[in-house]
Amino acid sequence: MTEVLTIILAAGEGTRMKSGRNKVLHKLGGKPMIGHVVELAAGISDRVVCVVGHQAREVKKTASRHAELEFVHQEKQLGTGHAVQQAENYIAEHQGSVLILYGDTPLIKTSTLTGLMAGHRNSSGGMTILTAEMDDPAGYGRIIRDNSGGIKAVVEEHDADPETAAIREVNSGIYCFDSQLLLEALKQLDNDNQQGEYYLPDTMHYISKKAPLIPLKADDSREILGINDRADLAEAEGILQERIQQKHLASGVTLLDPARTYIESGVEIEQDVIIYPGSFLKGSTWIGSGTVIGPICQLDNAEIASDVRVRQGSIILQSRVDSGSTVGPYAYLRPGTEIAESCRIGNFVELKKSRVGRGSKVPHLSYVGNATIGKSCNVGAGTIFANYDGVNKYQTVLEDEVFVGSNTTLVAPVKLGRGSSTGAGSVVTKDVEENSVVLGVPARFYKKK
Ligand code: UD1
Ligand code: CA
């Protein structure tokens, strides 16, 4: 098999995005655009080179998180052809196919790219170009075909007369080249056009004299969506969401209102999970079978076992909830929280870096921070774990079967022994022995004057 060198173009600023950040750093499905492209490239290439320029440091750092690749610098962004010229040394060293991808075209599928490369290999073409039929071709280079259906030229929007602008077949910006012909063609490029740029598609004028140009039309034009502005970004997000959701629907997940549910690509959901509208599932969140989420919940890197109920308005960040437990409405589980089986974490309860043992309840209006709560405990309404003295954070431990009366303040560090109880309103500043009761700061009684 011929070796594949992939060059990803990501040096442009993306001015149409109106952003302080390079366009390819913007996220799609929770992952930077460049991350999508780099992962795709690494999966099908022997070597990946990325052309960077605008905000090169950030782009390199982000891209490197997604795959192993090399970088070349494009000092001034003089066009897509000029960008590829910067990778000349890599092309010269390479025998085989060169695949070009754009950092702003992240929805392309692996199967389409492998099809493109196979088509290129089997055709003895000098350049295979992926095109698509668009309902609205605005912003793309238009494909000019000759009488026999072959490709003649790509005309950029800026250079197009009204007749050309009406053509609906567009250039995807994705091509497969013979390395030698690409190298030769790059040397011939000029910038004689409206934008004064070196256009990569213009390499076809030289190549066509040496070998056939092979157009390949994509089945689904949505794959080649180039993201130039925020409207494109929103459209791409919608397309990606639809793909992700179709996958979950097909594997047995109920989404009551897919259009108002947001699921990032790394989320795993088992069958018979029900997701109510407005829910936002992020990162590497995992949800076990039979669990019901929402409406309007946010789960980020959360691990939710089977048959859990996460009720309206709850947020769970980097935390774990075991099977049979209920959380919410309006609960806030901050990072490092672990809820064991059959627990009840109720409304307006906030937990942070805390473990709650099997069958325990924190049903209403509490703050639980830096705590270990044993099995079968009951933490009454309004209980506050006072874990912070303004300088340090301290631990609170509740052994099994502790009953905490409403509105207790537990001043950490403090430990409540097995089976102990506190009376309503107590302020507990010292450890409580097993099976004993502590009573709060009782109200003092005065006569009115
Ligand atoms: C380009 C194509 C157009 C095609 C469209 C598909 C050219 C001349 N035009 O237009 O035919 O229909 O993509 O989406 O190729 N880049 C650099 N250095 C540069 C210029 C651009 O690295 O000097 C990178 C950008 O960062 C971007 C990609 O190349 O990732 C495409 O550049 P962009 O300016 O968006 O090209 P389009 O105008 O969309
Ligand atoms: Ca573009």
Side-chain angles (χ1 to χ4, degrees):
M1 207 176 107
T2 25
E3 298 221 319
V4 178
L5 164 69
T6 296
I7 302 174
I8 301 171
L9 307 191
E13 177 181 357
T15 43
R16 288 167 278 183
M17 202 75 168
K18 305 233 165 67
S19 171
R21 316 178 65 209
N22 184 310
K23 171 166 71 172
V24 300
L25 297 174
H26 286 258
K27 285 183 179 177
L28 204 59
K31 191 191 288 182
M33 237 187 263
I34 189 69
H36 288 269
V37 182
V38 162
E39 283 176 15
L40 262 167
I44 53 170
S45 330
D46 302 285
R47 194 172 199 185
V48 181
V49 176
C50 183
V51 184
V52 293
H54 182 73
Q55 294 180 348
R57 213 165 55 91
E58 289 87 341
V59 175
K60 277 180 171 175
K61 206 168 104 189
T62 305
S64 303
R65 273 193 216 119
H66 294 268
E68 216 169 278
L69 77 168
E70 295 161 84
F71 297 95
V72 292
H73 214 274
Q74 186 190 22
E75 202 61 49
K76 279 194 180 141
Q77 283 80 57
L78 303 179
T80 49
H82 182 258
V84 176
Q85 281 170 350
Q86 311 311 304
E88 244 175 4
N89 290 342
Y90 288 90
I91 302 166
E93 271 175 26
H94 181 75
Q95 296 287 325
S97 308
V98 178
L99 177 70
I100 306 287
L101 300 176
Y102 287 174
D104 71 350
T105 309
L107 293 178
I108 189 78
K109 288 184 182 165
T110 299
S111 54
T112 305
L113 293 178
T114 51
L116 178 80
M117 292 191 296
H120 181 77
R121 272 197 299 275
N122 299 335
S123 68
S124 69
M127 174 183 187
T128 305
I129 169 166
L130 186 68
T131 76
E133 205 73 47
M134 290 272 190
D135 290 336
D136 177 12
Y140 292 88
R142 310 297 203 279
I143 300 287
I144 315 290
R145 298 232 182 202
D146 59 25
N147 293 334
S148 54
I151 237 171
K152 219 165 78 182
V154 172
V155 177
E156 292 305 311
E157 174 124 321
H158 288 93
D159 306 305
D161 57 32
E163 198 186 326
T164 308
I167 295 173
R168 288 180 38 233
E169 189 182 7
V170 304
N171 172 26
S172 68
I174 292 169
Y175 329 85
C176 201
F177 286 97
D178 169 80
S179 60
Q180 200 50 44
L181 288 176
L182 173 60
L183 201 62
E184 292 166 23
L186 285 173
K187 298 194 197 304
Q188 317 286 326
L189 280 184
D190 63 38
N191 62 353
D192 184 14
N193 51 56
Q194 273 298 320
Q195 302 191 94
E197 286 187 3
Y198 296 89
Y199 292 161
L200 182 61
D202 283 353
T203 52
M204 69 176 53
H205 303 308
Y206 174 84
I207 293 174
S208 64
K209 291 181 209 145
K210 307 276 174 176
L213 301 177
I214 315 287
L216 188 87
K217 211 184 261 187
D219 297 332
D220 182 358
S221 65
R222 302 188 309 169
E223 274 186 51
I224 69 136
L225 178 74
I227 299 172
N228 293 324
D229 56 26
R230 306 269 180 169
D232 295 331
L233 185 66
E235 189 183 346
E237 189 67 70
I239 294 167
L240 190 64
Q241 278 305 306
E242 204 183 305
R243 275 189 202 169
I244 292 171
Q245 291 173 2
Q246 287 303 327
K247 183 188 82 181
H248 291 301
L249 292 169
S251 66
V253 175
T254 295
L255 303 174
L256 270 87
D257 188 352
R260 283 189 290 152
T261 306
Y262 179 92
I263 308 175
E264 288 184 355
S265 49
V267 173
E268 287 178 52
I269 312 177
E270 291 197 341
Q271 78 178 43
D272 289 322
V273 166
I274 299 174
I275 316 271
Y276 284 96
S279 294
F280 195 3
L281 313 178
K282 302 176 69 181
S284 57
T285 289
W286 177 84
I287 305 171
S289 61
T291 284
V292 180
I293 309 281
I296 49 168
C297 286
Q298 190 193 136
L299 272 50
D300 192 347
N301 290 312
E303 201 179 315
I304 313 292
S306 52
D307 302 314
V308 169
R309 180 73 180 95
V310 181
R311 298 173 67 195
Q312 175 157 336
S314 298
I315 300 175
I316 304 181
L317 312 176
Q318 292 166 51
S319 292
R320 180 183 158 80
V321 180
D322 260 326
S323 54
S325 291
T326 70
V327 173
Y330 303 101
Y332 185 21
L333 274 55
R334 290 166 52 201
T337 296
E338 286 175 35
I339 310 293
E341 298 124 72
S342 309
C343 289
R344 192 172 135 217
I345 306 300
N347 50 277
F348 302 102
V349 172
E350 175 179 347
L351 294 104
K352 185 214 68 170
K353 272 194 192 159
S354 293
R355 290 214 313 269
V356 179
R358 179 153 42 83
S360 288
K361 295 175 187 159
V362 189
H364 334 269
L365 304 155
S366 290
Y367 172 67
V368 180
N370 302 87
T372 304
I373 297 177
K375 294 176 200 146
S376 306
C377 291
N378 188 86
V379 176
T383 295
I384 301 297
F385 286 55
N387 60 333
Y388 185 50
D389 63 3
V391 182
N392 293 306
K393 302 269 165 69
Y394 299 96
Q395 296 288 321
T396 299
V397 177
L398 271 59
E399 293 185 343
D400 296 345
E401 293 160 30
V402 168
F403 181 94
V404 180
S406 294
N407 217 28
T408 295
T409 301
L410 301 170
V411 183
V414 68
K415 182 168 150 187
L416 280 69
R418 185 190 176 104
S420 61
S421 305
T422 74
S426 314
V427 178
V428 183
T429 54
K430 280 188 281 193
D431 288 358
V432 179
E433 281 178 24
E434 282 188 23
N435 297 318
S436 53
V437 182
V438 286
L439 284 176
V441 187
R444 277 171 276 190
F445 292 79
Y446 300 95
K447 271 236 154 39
K448 279 186 179 169
K449 282 192 180 127

